[in-house]
Amino acid sequence: MMIKRYPDSESLARAAAELFVQCAQEAIAARGRFLVALSGGSTPKAMHHILADAMRDQVAWDHVHVFWGDERCVPPDHADSNYRMARETLLDHVPIPPEQVYRVHAELDPQAAAETYARTLQVQLPDGRFDLIYLGMGYDGHTLSLFPHTEALRESERWVVANYVPTLEAWRLTTTPALDNQARCIAFLVSGEKKADALHAVLRGAHLPEQYPAQLIQPREGDLLWYVDTEAARLL
Ligand code: 6PG
């Protein structure tokens, strides 16, 4: 595990975009495809803009396959949709073949959506390994849609589950550590003062994954990178 510190959110986003370029080049050279899972939330937006603009020509987009680590149970054009955020900030601006964007069909019944997406992942990830997964972390130490004290934390087999989140009074769809911890590289992007307490608890506190689900992310063979800015890392 490596903690990579940056002075501000913009330099963090640039470094995270450089990781995308580097991992893509390595994966495409080695296996002909780059299998990347994007995160939801707001932190990834700045990185997406850099990939869609300044670094656009450094990626062989026709060999890139995009997935999501989790999704809200809303239609793809809903303001809360992680797919919509990625489409608006990145996918509409790069020449990635549409058939290589694997949207979670979150408009379906949650269980059906989870099973459908799991089948897609089984087909597209023959060895079950993403090349790169981007993750965020909430103020409560959640990641993906693995929220504290929710059912999904205890899933040890399935790669995708529907997870009811009482604090949000909403269903979510999330990949699980059973899948994600097989990845070649996992990069958390954590920015801002409000994340400082949770980041300290996750990285420096006791192992309490029920309370701090981000602690469940421990890649078996792959790299675990924490991209943090000065504000978020204040207590480290
Ligand atoms: C989601 C994400 C979630 C997110 C964190 C951090 O679907 O919202 O998967 O885990 O990464 O909540 O979100 P911010 O980047 O907006 O702080």
Side-chain angles (χ1 to χ4, degrees), residues 33-71:
R33 301 197 311 162
F34 176 46
L35 308 173
V36 57
L38 301 179
S39 170
S42 57
T43 304
K45 292 179 182 176
M47 173 188 70
H48 289 179
H49 286 304
I50 293 167
L51 286 170
D53 186 8
M55 294 190 187
R56 186 179 189 278
D57 297 340
Q58 297 180 43
V59 178
W61 295 102
D62 54 338
H63 294 277
V64 176
H65 295 250
V66 168
F67 305 81
W68 278 264
D70 71 321
E71 185 56 279

PDB file of all heavy atoms in Angstrom, residues 33-71:
ATOM      1  N   ARG A  33      -6.018  -5.174 -24.038  1.00  0.00           N
ATOM      2  CA  ARG A  33      -7.203  -4.456 -23.560  1.00  0.00           C
ATOM      3  C   ARG A  33      -6.873  -3.813 -22.219  1.00  0.00           C
ATOM      4  O   ARG A  33      -6.059  -4.330 -21.453  1.00  0.00           O
ATOM      5  CB  ARG A  33      -8.381  -5.407 -23.313  1.00  0.00           C
ATOM      6  CG  ARG A  33      -8.826  -6.179 -24.504  1.00  0.00           C
ATOM      7  CD  ARG A  33     -10.226  -6.787 -24.354  1.00  0.00           C
ATOM      8  NE  ARG A  33     -10.445  -7.521 -23.120  1.00  0.00           N
ATOM      9  CZ  ARG A  33     -11.671  -7.819 -22.657  1.00  0.00           C
ATOM     10  NH1 ARG A  33     -12.746  -7.408 -23.325  1.00  0.00           N
ATOM     11  NH2 ARG A  33     -11.839  -8.494 -21.545  1.00  0.00           N
ATOM     12  N   PHE A  34      -7.569  -2.706 -21.914  1.00  0.00           N
ATOM     13  CA  PHE A  34      -7.441  -2.061 -20.596  1.00  0.00           C
ATOM     14  C   PHE A  34      -8.815  -2.105 -19.946  1.00  0.00           C
ATOM     15  O   PHE A  34      -9.780  -1.555 -20.503  1.00  0.00           O
ATOM     16  CB  PHE A  34      -6.966  -0.622 -20.764  1.00  0.00           C
ATOM     17  CG  PHE A  34      -6.882   0.164 -19.487  1.00  0.00           C
ATOM     18  CD1 PHE A  34      -6.294  -0.361 -18.335  1.00  0.00           C
ATOM     19  CD2 PHE A  34      -7.400   1.456 -19.427  1.00  0.00           C
ATOM     20  CE1 PHE A  34      -6.191   0.375 -17.164  1.00  0.00           C
ATOM     21  CE2 PHE A  34      -7.313   2.208 -18.247  1.00  0.00           C
ATOM     22  CZ  PHE A  34      -6.718   1.666 -17.125  1.00  0.00           C
ATOM     23  N   LEU A  35      -8.916  -2.800 -18.843  1.00  0.00           N
ATOM     24  CA  LEU A  35     -10.190  -3.010 -18.141  1.00  0.00           C
ATOM     25  C   LEU A  35     -10.184  -2.148 -16.897  1.00  0.00           C
ATOM     26  O   LEU A  35      -9.496  -2.431 -15.921  1.00  0.00           O
ATOM     27  CB  LEU A  35     -10.331  -4.489 -17.759  1.00  0.00           C
ATOM     28  CG  LEU A  35     -10.125  -5.493 -18.898  1.00  0.00           C
ATOM     29  CD1 LEU A  35     -10.109  -6.920 -18.356  1.00  0.00           C
ATOM     30  CD2 LEU A  35     -11.214  -5.330 -19.949  1.00  0.00           C
ATOM     31  N   VAL A  36     -10.942  -1.046 -16.952  1.00  0.00           N
ATOM     32  CA  VAL A  36     -10.906  -0.070 -15.862  1.00  0.00           C
ATOM     33  C   VAL A  36     -12.307   0.146 -15.288  1.00  0.00           C
ATOM     34  O   VAL A  36     -13.291   0.232 -16.028  1.00  0.00           O
ATOM     35  CB  VAL A  36     -10.312   1.277 -16.348  1.00  0.00           C
ATOM     36  CG1 VAL A  36     -11.061   1.864 -17.526  1.00  0.00           C
ATOM     37  CG2 VAL A  36     -10.204   2.280 -15.206  1.00  0.00           C
ATOM     38  N   ALA A  37     -12.386   0.210 -13.951  1.00  0.00           N
ATOM     39  CA  ALA A  37     -13.658   0.488 -13.276  1.00  0.00           C
ATOM     40  C   ALA A  37     -13.600   1.899 -12.701  1.00  0.00           C
ATOM     41  O   ALA A  37     -12.670   2.240 -11.958  1.00  0.00           O
ATOM     42  CB  ALA A  37     -13.905  -0.518 -12.157  1.00  0.00           C
ATOM     43  N   LEU A  38     -14.580   2.704 -13.074  1.00  0.00           N
ATOM     44  CA  LEU A  38     -14.640   4.088 -12.617  1.00  0.00           C
ATOM     45  C   LEU A  38     -15.412   4.174 -11.308  1.00  0.00           C
ATOM     46  O   LEU A  38     -16.252   3.328 -10.995  1.00  0.00           O
ATOM     47  CB  LEU A  38     -15.307   4.974 -13.680  1.00  0.00           C
ATOM     48  CG  LEU A  38     -14.643   5.009 -15.058  1.00  0.00           C
ATOM     49  CD1 LEU A  38     -15.443   5.908 -15.991  1.00  0.00           C
ATOM     50  CD2 LEU A  38     -13.188   5.440 -14.958  1.00  0.00           C
ATOM     51  N   SER A  39     -15.135   5.243 -10.571  1.00  0.00           N
ATOM     52  CA  SER A  39     -15.840   5.502  -9.324  1.00  0.00           C
ATOM     53  C   SER A  39     -16.940   6.531  -9.558  1.00  0.00           C
ATOM     54  O   SER A  39     -16.907   7.282 -10.541  1.00  0.00           O
ATOM     55  CB  SER A  39     -14.853   6.054  -8.286  1.00  0.00           C
ATOM     56  OG  SER A  39     -15.556   6.521  -7.152  1.00  0.00           O
ATOM     57  N   GLY A  40     -17.892   6.548  -8.647  1.00  0.00           N
ATOM     58  CA  GLY A  40     -18.925   7.585  -8.675  1.00  0.00           C
ATOM     59  C   GLY A  40     -18.492   8.761  -7.812  1.00  0.00           C
ATOM     60  O   GLY A  40     -17.305   8.926  -7.524  1.00  0.00           O
ATOM     61  N   GLY A  41     -19.475   9.564  -7.439  1.00  0.00           N
ATOM     62  CA  GLY A  41     -19.176  10.718  -6.599  1.00  0.00           C
ATOM     63  C   GLY A  41     -18.607  11.872  -7.410  1.00  0.00           C
ATOM     64  O   GLY A  41     -18.600  11.862  -8.645  1.00  0.00           O
ATOM     65  N   SER A  42     -18.083  12.866  -6.707  1.00  0.00           N
ATOM     66  CA  SER A  42     -17.611  14.088  -7.381  1.00  0.00           C
ATOM     67  C   SER A  42     -16.095  14.130  -7.553  1.00  0.00           C
ATOM     68  O   SER A  42     -15.606  14.753  -8.505  1.00  0.00           O
ATOM     69  CB  SER A  42     -18.066  15.312  -6.577  1.00  0.00           C
ATOM     70  OG  SER A  42     -17.569  15.189  -5.244  1.00  0.00           O
ATOM     71  N   THR A  43     -15.355  13.441  -6.693  1.00  0.00           N
ATOM     72  CA  THR A  43     -13.885  13.542  -6.772  1.00  0.00           C
ATOM     73  C   THR A  43     -13.320  13.190  -8.148  1.00  0.00           C
ATOM     74  O   THR A  43     -12.424  13.879  -8.638  1.00  0.00           O
ATOM     75  CB  THR A  43     -13.223  12.681  -5.686  1.00  0.00           C
ATOM     76  OG1 THR A  43     -13.725  13.060  -4.397  1.00  0.00           O
ATOM     77  CG2 THR A  43     -11.707  12.820  -5.705  1.00  0.00           C
ATOM     78  N   PRO A  44     -13.856  12.152  -8.812  1.00  0.00           N
ATOM     79  CA  PRO A  44     -13.229  11.753 -10.084  1.00  0.00           C
ATOM     80  C   PRO A  44     -13.421  12.756 -11.225  1.00  0.00           C
ATOM     81  O   PRO A  44     -12.751  12.670 -12.255  1.00  0.00           O
ATOM     82  CB  PRO A  44     -13.914  10.435 -10.438  1.00  0.00           C
ATOM     83  CG  PRO A  44     -14.563   9.968  -9.181  1.00  0.00           C
ATOM     84  CD  PRO A  44     -14.925  11.209  -8.422  1.00  0.00           C
ATOM     85  N   LYS A  45     -14.338  13.716 -11.076  1.00  0.00           N
ATOM     86  CA  LYS A  45     -14.671  14.594 -12.212  1.00  0.00           C
ATOM     87  C   LYS A  45     -13.455  15.327 -12.769  1.00  0.00           C
ATOM     88  O   LYS A  45     -13.255  15.397 -13.987  1.00  0.00           O
ATOM     89  CB  LYS A  45     -15.744  15.609 -11.798  1.00  0.00           C
ATOM     90  CG  LYS A  45     -17.108  14.983 -11.508  1.00  0.00           C
ATOM     91  CD  LYS A  45     -18.111  16.040 -11.085  1.00  0.00           C
ATOM     92  CE  LYS A  45     -19.460  15.445 -10.753  1.00  0.00           C
ATOM     93  NZ  LYS A  45     -20.430  16.454 -10.253  1.00  0.00           N
ATOM     94  N   ALA A  46     -12.619  15.861 -11.869  1.00  0.00           N
ATOM     95  CA  ALA A  46     -11.452  16.641 -12.339  1.00  0.00           C
ATOM     96  C   ALA A  46     -10.505  15.741 -13.135  1.00  0.00           C
ATOM     97  O   ALA A  46      -9.988  16.132 -14.188  1.00  0.00           O
ATOM     98  CB  ALA A  46     -10.736  17.254 -11.144  1.00  0.00           C
ATOM     99  N   MET A  47     -10.333  14.504 -12.656  1.00  0.00           N
ATOM    100  CA  MET A  47      -9.476  13.558 -13.396  1.00  0.00           C
ATOM    101  C   MET A  47     -10.075  13.249 -14.768  1.00  0.00           C
ATOM    102  O   MET A  47      -9.378  13.221 -15.792  1.00  0.00           O
ATOM    103  CB  MET A  47      -9.319  12.258 -12.601  1.00  0.00           C
ATOM    104  CG  MET A  47      -8.591  11.180 -13.369  1.00  0.00           C
ATOM    105  SD  MET A  47      -8.571   9.578 -12.570  1.00  0.00           S
ATOM    106  CE  MET A  47     -10.276   9.073 -12.710  1.00  0.00           C
ATOM    107  N   HIS A  48     -11.399  13.042 -14.796  1.00  0.00           N
ATOM    108  CA  HIS A  48     -12.073  12.732 -16.070  1.00  0.00           C
ATOM    109  C   HIS A  48     -11.852  13.855 -17.083  1.00  0.00           C
ATOM    110  O   HIS A  48     -11.569  13.603 -18.252  1.00  0.00           O
ATOM    111  CB  HIS A  48     -13.573  12.536 -15.848  1.00  0.00           C
ATOM    112  CG  HIS A  48     -13.920  11.276 -15.110  1.00  0.00           C
ATOM    113  ND1 HIS A  48     -15.207  10.930 -14.805  1.00  0.00           N
ATOM    114  CD2 HIS A  48     -13.152  10.287 -14.592  1.00  0.00           C
ATOM    115  CE1 HIS A  48     -15.223   9.781 -14.149  1.00  0.00           C
ATOM    116  NE2 HIS A  48     -13.989   9.364 -14.001  1.00  0.00           N
ATOM    117  N   HIS A  49     -11.969  15.108 -16.614  1.00  0.00           N
ATOM    118  CA  HIS A  49     -11.796  16.246 -17.538  1.00  0.00           C
ATOM    119  C   HIS A  49     -10.378  16.250 -18.127  1.00  0.00           C
ATOM    120  O   HIS A  49     -10.193  16.525 -19.313  1.00  0.00           O
ATOM    121  CB  HIS A  49     -12.066  17.569 -16.806  1.00  0.00           C
ATOM    122  CG  HIS A  49     -13.524  17.834 -16.534  1.00  0.00           C
ATOM    123  ND1 HIS A  49     -14.477  17.852 -17.528  1.00  0.00           N
ATOM    124  CD2 HIS A  49     -14.192  18.065 -15.370  1.00  0.00           C
ATOM    125  CE1 HIS A  49     -15.672  18.090 -16.987  1.00  0.00           C
ATOM    126  NE2 HIS A  49     -15.529  18.222 -15.683  1.00  0.00           N
ATOM    127  N   ILE A  50      -9.382  15.922 -17.288  1.00  0.00           N
ATOM    128  CA  ILE A  50      -7.995  15.906 -17.770  1.00  0.00           C
ATOM    129  C   ILE A  50      -7.809  14.804 -18.811  1.00  0.00           C
ATOM    130  O   ILE A  50      -7.194  15.000 -19.871  1.00  0.00           O
ATOM    131  CB  ILE A  50      -7.020  15.727 -16.584  1.00  0.00           C
ATOM    132  CG1 ILE A  50      -7.065  16.957 -15.674  1.00  0.00           C
ATOM    133  CG2 ILE A  50      -5.595  15.464 -17.076  1.00  0.00           C
ATOM    134  CD1 ILE A  50      -6.384  16.769 -14.328  1.00  0.00           C
ATOM    135  N   LEU A  51      -8.407  13.638 -18.549  1.00  0.00           N
ATOM    136  CA  LEU A  51      -8.295  12.528 -19.510  1.00  0.00           C
ATOM    137  C   LEU A  51      -9.011  12.852 -20.826  1.00  0.00           C
ATOM    138  O   LEU A  51      -8.593  12.426 -21.899  1.00  0.00           O
ATOM    139  CB  LEU A  51      -8.887  11.253 -18.901  1.00  0.00           C
ATOM    140  CG  LEU A  51      -8.036  10.572 -17.825  1.00  0.00           C
ATOM    141  CD1 LEU A  51      -8.847   9.469 -17.137  1.00  0.00           C
ATOM    142  CD2 LEU A  51      -6.749  10.021 -18.415  1.00  0.00           C
ATOM    143  N   ALA A  52     -10.078  13.630 -20.725  1.00  0.00           N
ATOM    144  CA  ALA A  52     -10.872  13.959 -21.922  1.00  0.00           C
ATOM    145  C   ALA A  52     -10.261  15.110 -22.700  1.00  0.00           C
ATOM    146  O   ALA A  52     -10.620  15.342 -23.866  1.00  0.00           O
ATOM    147  CB  ALA A  52     -12.294  14.327 -21.511  1.00  0.00           C
ATOM    148  N   ASP A  53      -9.322  15.803 -22.080  1.00  0.00           N
ATOM    149  CA  ASP A  53      -8.763  17.006 -22.718  1.00  0.00           C
ATOM    150  C   ASP A  53      -7.238  16.913 -22.830  1.00  0.00           C
ATOM    151  O   ASP A  53      -6.713  16.377 -23.804  1.00  0.00           O
ATOM    152  CB  ASP A  53      -9.204  18.245 -21.906  1.00  0.00           C
ATOM    153  CG  ASP A  53      -8.782  19.547 -22.585  1.00  0.00           C
ATOM    154  OD1 ASP A  53      -8.295  19.468 -23.735  1.00  0.00           O
ATOM    155  OD2 ASP A  53      -8.891  20.608 -21.962  1.00  0.00           O
ATOM    156  N   ALA A  54      -6.512  17.300 -21.816  1.00  0.00           N
ATOM    157  CA  ALA A  54      -5.038  17.402 -21.914  1.00  0.00           C
ATOM    158  C   ALA A  54      -4.385  16.062 -22.245  1.00  0.00           C
ATOM    159  O   ALA A  54      -3.418  16.004 -23.008  1.00  0.00           O
ATOM    160  CB  ALA A  54      -4.489  17.948 -20.595  1.00  0.00           C
ATOM    161  N   MET A  55      -4.896  14.969 -21.699  1.00  0.00           N
ATOM    162  CA  MET A  55      -4.243  13.663 -21.874  1.00  0.00           C
ATOM    163  C   MET A  55      -4.969  12.757 -22.870  1.00  0.00           C
ATOM    164  O   MET A  55      -4.617  11.592 -23.041  1.00  0.00           O
ATOM    165  CB  MET A  55      -4.114  12.947 -20.518  1.00  0.00           C
ATOM    166  CG  MET A  55      -3.185  13.657 -19.559  1.00  0.00           C
ATOM    167  SD  MET A  55      -2.839  12.643 -18.103  1.00  0.00           S
ATOM    168  CE  MET A  55      -1.915  13.849 -17.144  1.00  0.00           C
ATOM    169  N   ARG A  56      -5.980  13.337 -23.553  1.00  0.00           N
ATOM    170  CA  ARG A  56      -6.839  12.527 -24.436  1.00  0.00           C
ATOM    171  C   ARG A  56      -6.029  11.681 -25.422  1.00  0.00           C
ATOM    172  O   ARG A  56      -6.315  10.503 -25.630  1.00  0.00           O
ATOM    173  CB  ARG A  56      -7.745  13.497 -25.197  1.00  0.00           C
ATOM    174  CG  ARG A  56      -8.820  12.880 -26.061  1.00  0.00           C
ATOM    175  CD  ARG A  56      -9.622  14.023 -26.723  1.00  0.00           C
ATOM    176  NE  ARG A  56     -10.799  13.561 -27.414  1.00  0.00           N
ATOM    177  CZ  ARG A  56     -10.782  13.059 -28.657  1.00  0.00           C
ATOM    178  NH1 ARG A  56      -9.616  12.915 -29.281  1.00  0.00           N
ATOM    179  NH2 ARG A  56     -11.896  12.679 -29.243  1.00  0.00           N
ATOM    180  N   ASP A  57      -5.008  12.284 -25.999  1.00  0.00           N
ATOM    181  CA  ASP A  57      -4.281  11.590 -27.073  1.00  0.00           C
ATOM    182  C   ASP A  57      -3.226  10.610 -26.561  1.00  0.00           C
ATOM    183  O   ASP A  57      -2.527   9.987 -27.360  1.00  0.00           O
ATOM    184  CB  ASP A  57      -3.627  12.629 -27.994  1.00  0.00           C
ATOM    185  CG  ASP A  57      -4.691  13.501 -28.674  1.00  0.00           C
ATOM    186  OD1 ASP A  57      -5.862  13.042 -28.730  1.00  0.00           O
ATOM    187  OD2 ASP A  57      -4.365  14.632 -29.074  1.00  0.00           O
ATOM    188  N   GLN A  58      -3.134  10.494 -25.228  1.00  0.00           N
ATOM    189  CA  GLN A  58      -2.143   9.551 -24.682  1.00  0.00           C
ATOM    190  C   GLN A  58      -2.756   8.176 -24.408  1.00  0.00           C
ATOM    191  O   GLN A  58      -2.083   7.271 -23.912  1.00  0.00           O
ATOM    192  CB  GLN A  58      -1.550  10.126 -23.385  1.00  0.00           C
ATOM    193  CG  GLN A  58      -0.778  11.434 -23.593  1.00  0.00           C
ATOM    194  CD  GLN A  58      -0.212  11.973 -22.287  1.00  0.00           C
ATOM    195  OE1 GLN A  58       0.323  11.230 -21.460  1.00  0.00           O
ATOM    196  NE2 GLN A  58      -0.379  13.279 -22.074  1.00  0.00           N
ATOM    197  N   VAL A  59      -4.055   8.025 -24.726  1.00  0.00           N
ATOM    198  CA  VAL A  59      -4.748   6.756 -24.444  1.00  0.00           C
ATOM    199  C   VAL A  59      -5.264   6.148 -25.751  1.00  0.00           C
ATOM    200  O   VAL A  59      -5.849   6.855 -26.579  1.00  0.00           O
ATOM    201  CB  VAL A  59      -5.935   6.986 -23.478  1.00  0.00           C
ATOM    202  CG1 VAL A  59      -6.684   5.680 -23.224  1.00  0.00           C
ATOM    203  CG2 VAL A  59      -5.449   7.575 -22.149  1.00  0.00           C
ATOM    204  N   ALA A  60      -5.035   4.851 -25.913  1.00  0.00           N
ATOM    205  CA  ALA A  60      -5.564   4.124 -27.086  1.00  0.00           C
ATOM    206  C   ALA A  60      -7.010   3.728 -26.776  1.00  0.00           C
ATOM    207  O   ALA A  60      -7.318   2.587 -26.392  1.00  0.00           O
ATOM    208  CB  ALA A  60      -4.728   2.896 -27.361  1.00  0.00           C
ATOM    209  N   TRP A  61      -7.938   4.682 -26.908  1.00  0.00           N
ATOM    210  CA  TRP A  61      -9.323   4.500 -26.437  1.00  0.00           C
ATOM    211  C   TRP A  61     -10.012   3.301 -27.081  1.00  0.00           C
ATOM    212  O   TRP A  61     -10.915   2.707 -26.468  1.00  0.00           O
ATOM    213  CB  TRP A  61     -10.130   5.786 -26.666  1.00  0.00           C
ATOM    214  CG  TRP A  61      -9.630   6.921 -25.838  1.00  0.00           C
ATOM    215  CD1 TRP A  61      -8.839   7.967 -26.253  1.00  0.00           C
ATOM    216  CD2 TRP A  61      -9.830   7.108 -24.432  1.00  0.00           C
ATOM    217  NE1 TRP A  61      -8.550   8.790 -25.185  1.00  0.00           N
ATOM    218  CE2 TRP A  61      -9.152   8.289 -24.061  1.00  0.00           C
ATOM    219  CE3 TRP A  61     -10.526   6.388 -23.444  1.00  0.00           C
ATOM    220  CZ2 TRP A  61      -9.143   8.778 -22.755  1.00  0.00           C
ATOM    221  CZ3 TRP A  61     -10.528   6.861 -22.140  1.00  0.00           C
ATOM    222  CH2 TRP A  61      -9.842   8.052 -21.812  1.00  0.00           C
ATOM    223  N   ASP A  62      -9.586   2.913 -28.282  1.00  0.00           N
ATOM    224  CA  ASP A  62     -10.247   1.777 -28.954  1.00  0.00           C
ATOM    225  C   ASP A  62      -9.891   0.447 -28.281  1.00  0.00           C
ATOM    226  O   ASP A  62     -10.479  -0.581 -28.618  1.00  0.00           O
ATOM    227  CB  ASP A  62      -9.875   1.736 -30.439  1.00  0.00           C
ATOM    228  CG  ASP A  62      -8.367   1.729 -30.668  1.00  0.00           C
ATOM    229  OD1 ASP A  62      -7.630   2.168 -29.748  1.00  0.00           O
ATOM    230  OD2 ASP A  62      -7.928   1.300 -31.744  1.00  0.00           O
ATOM    231  N   HIS A  63      -8.976   0.486 -27.317  1.00  0.00           N
ATOM    232  CA  HIS A  63      -8.645  -0.728 -26.554  1.00  0.00           C
ATOM    233  C   HIS A  63      -9.067  -0.620 -25.091  1.00  0.00           C
ATOM    234  O   HIS A  63      -8.694  -1.445 -24.256  1.00  0.00           O
ATOM    235  CB  HIS A  63      -7.136  -0.998 -26.623  1.00  0.00           C
ATOM    236  CG  HIS A  63      -6.636  -1.353 -27.996  1.00  0.00           C
ATOM    237  ND1 HIS A  63      -6.694  -2.628 -28.523  1.00  0.00           N
ATOM    238  CD2 HIS A  63      -6.092  -0.575 -28.966  1.00  0.00           C
ATOM    239  CE1 HIS A  63      -6.189  -2.622 -29.751  1.00  0.00           C
ATOM    240  NE2 HIS A  63      -5.830  -1.386 -30.048  1.00  0.00           N
ATOM    241  N   VAL A  64      -9.833   0.418 -24.773  1.00  0.00           N
ATOM    242  CA  VAL A  64     -10.246   0.658 -23.385  1.00  0.00           C
ATOM    243  C   VAL A  64     -11.657   0.127 -23.165  1.00  0.00           C
ATOM    244  O   VAL A  64     -12.548   0.357 -23.990  1.00  0.00           O
ATOM    245  CB  VAL A  64     -10.193   2.165 -23.053  1.00  0.00           C
ATOM    246  CG1 VAL A  64     -10.711   2.440 -21.640  1.00  0.00           C
ATOM    247  CG2 VAL A  64      -8.756   2.683 -23.191  1.00  0.00           C
ATOM    248  N   HIS A  65     -11.858  -0.572 -22.084  1.00  0.00           N
ATOM    249  CA  HIS A  65     -13.175  -1.108 -21.686  1.00  0.00           C
ATOM    250  C   HIS A  65     -13.506  -0.549 -20.306  1.00  0.00           C
ATOM    251  O   HIS A  65     -12.720  -0.741 -19.364  1.00  0.00           O
ATOM    252  CB  HIS A  65     -13.140  -2.637 -21.651  1.00  0.00           C
ATOM    253  CG  HIS A  65     -12.919  -3.259 -22.996  1.00  0.00           C
ATOM    254  ND1 HIS A  65     -13.892  -3.948 -23.676  1.00  0.00           N
ATOM    255  CD2 HIS A  65     -11.825  -3.259 -23.803  1.00  0.00           C
ATOM    256  CE1 HIS A  65     -13.409  -4.363 -24.844  1.00  0.00           C
ATOM    257  NE2 HIS A  65     -12.158  -3.952 -24.946  1.00  0.00           N
ATOM    258  N   VAL A  66     -14.647   0.175 -20.240  1.00  0.00           N
ATOM    259  CA  VAL A  66     -14.988   0.921 -19.020  1.00  0.00           C
ATOM    260  C   VAL A  66     -16.141   0.259 -18.285  1.00  0.00           C
ATOM    261  O   VAL A  66     -17.162  -0.092 -18.888  1.00  0.00           O
ATOM    262  CB  VAL A  66     -15.361   2.379 -19.376  1.00  0.00           C
ATOM    263  CG1 VAL A  66     -16.009   3.088 -18.191  1.00  0.00           C
ATOM    264  CG2 VAL A  66     -14.113   3.141 -19.819  1.00  0.00           C
ATOM    265  N   PHE A  67     -15.948   0.116 -16.987  1.00  0.00           N
ATOM    266  CA  PHE A  67     -16.946  -0.450 -16.083  1.00  0.00           C
ATOM    267  C   PHE A  67     -17.134   0.516 -14.919  1.00  0.00           C
ATOM    268  O   PHE A  67     -16.477   1.557 -14.861  1.00  0.00           O
ATOM    269  CB  PHE A  67     -16.450  -1.807 -15.551  1.00  0.00           C
ATOM    270  CG  PHE A  67     -16.089  -2.804 -16.617  1.00  0.00           C
ATOM    271  CD1 PHE A  67     -14.847  -2.750 -17.256  1.00  0.00           C
ATOM    272  CD2 PHE A  67     -16.978  -3.790 -17.004  1.00  0.00           C
ATOM    273  CE1 PHE A  67     -14.495  -3.666 -18.251  1.00  0.00           C
ATOM    274  CE2 PHE A  67     -16.641  -4.713 -17.995  1.00  0.00           C
ATOM    275  CZ  PHE A  67     -15.403  -4.640 -18.625  1.00  0.00           C
ATOM    276  N   TRP A  68     -18.037   0.134 -13.998  1.00  0.00           N
ATOM    277  CA  TRP A  68     -18.215   0.929 -12.783  1.00  0.00           C
ATOM    278  C   TRP A  68     -18.061   0.034 -11.555  1.00  0.00           C
ATOM    279  O   TRP A  68     -18.453  -1.130 -11.568  1.00  0.00           O
ATOM    280  CB  TRP A  68     -19.601   1.597 -12.774  1.00  0.00           C
ATOM    281  CG  TRP A  68     -19.602   2.860 -13.595  1.00  0.00           C
ATOM    282  CD1 TRP A  68     -19.441   4.140 -13.160  1.00  0.00           C
ATOM    283  CD2 TRP A  68     -19.724   2.940 -15.017  1.00  0.00           C
ATOM    284  NE1 TRP A  68     -19.459   5.017 -14.218  1.00  0.00           N
ATOM    285  CE2 TRP A  68     -19.617   4.303 -15.370  1.00  0.00           C
ATOM    286  CE3 TRP A  68     -19.901   1.999 -16.038  1.00  0.00           C
ATOM    287  CZ2 TRP A  68     -19.695   4.756 -16.676  1.00  0.00           C
ATOM    288  CZ3 TRP A  68     -19.980   2.437 -17.365  1.00  0.00           C
ATOM    289  CH2 TRP A  68     -19.869   3.797 -17.675  1.00  0.00           C
ATOM    290  N   GLY A  69     -17.527   0.622 -10.493  1.00  0.00           N
ATOM    291  CA  GLY A  69     -17.426  -0.134  -9.245  1.00  0.00           C
ATOM    292  C   GLY A  69     -18.755  -0.216  -8.524  1.00  0.00           C
ATOM    293  O   GLY A  69     -19.017  -1.173  -7.790  1.00  0.00           O
ATOM    294  N   ASP A  70     -19.600   0.795  -8.741  1.00  0.00           N
ATOM    295  CA  ASP A  70     -20.923   0.764  -8.131  1.00  0.00           C
ATOM    296  C   ASP A  70     -21.832   1.730  -8.883  1.00  0.00           C
ATOM    297  O   ASP A  70     -21.381   2.507  -9.735  1.00  0.00           O
ATOM    298  CB  ASP A  70     -20.866   1.124  -6.640  1.00  0.00           C
ATOM    299  CG  ASP A  70     -20.571   2.601  -6.406  1.00  0.00           C
ATOM    300  OD1 ASP A  70     -19.752   3.178  -7.139  1.00  0.00           O
ATOM    301  OD2 ASP A  70     -21.182   3.174  -5.503  1.00  0.00           O
ATOM    302  N   GLU A  71     -23.123   1.650  -8.568  1.00  0.00           N
ATOM    303  CA  GLU A  71     -24.087   2.517  -9.245  1.00  0.00           C
ATOM    304  C   GLU A  71     -25.293   2.733  -8.346  1.00  0.00           C
ATOM    305  O   GLU A  71     -25.630   1.886  -7.514  1.00  0.00           O
ATOM    306  CB  GLU A  71     -24.500   1.908 -10.591  1.00  0.00           C
ATOM    307  CG  GLU A  71     -25.427   2.763 -11.461  1.00  0.00           C
ATOM    308  CD  GLU A  71     -24.871   4.147 -11.767  1.00  0.00           C
ATOM    309  OE1 GLU A  71     -24.993   5.029 -10.888  1.00  0.00           O
ATOM    310  OE2 GLU A  71     -24.323   4.338 -12.868  1.00  0.00           O
TER     311      GLU A  71
END
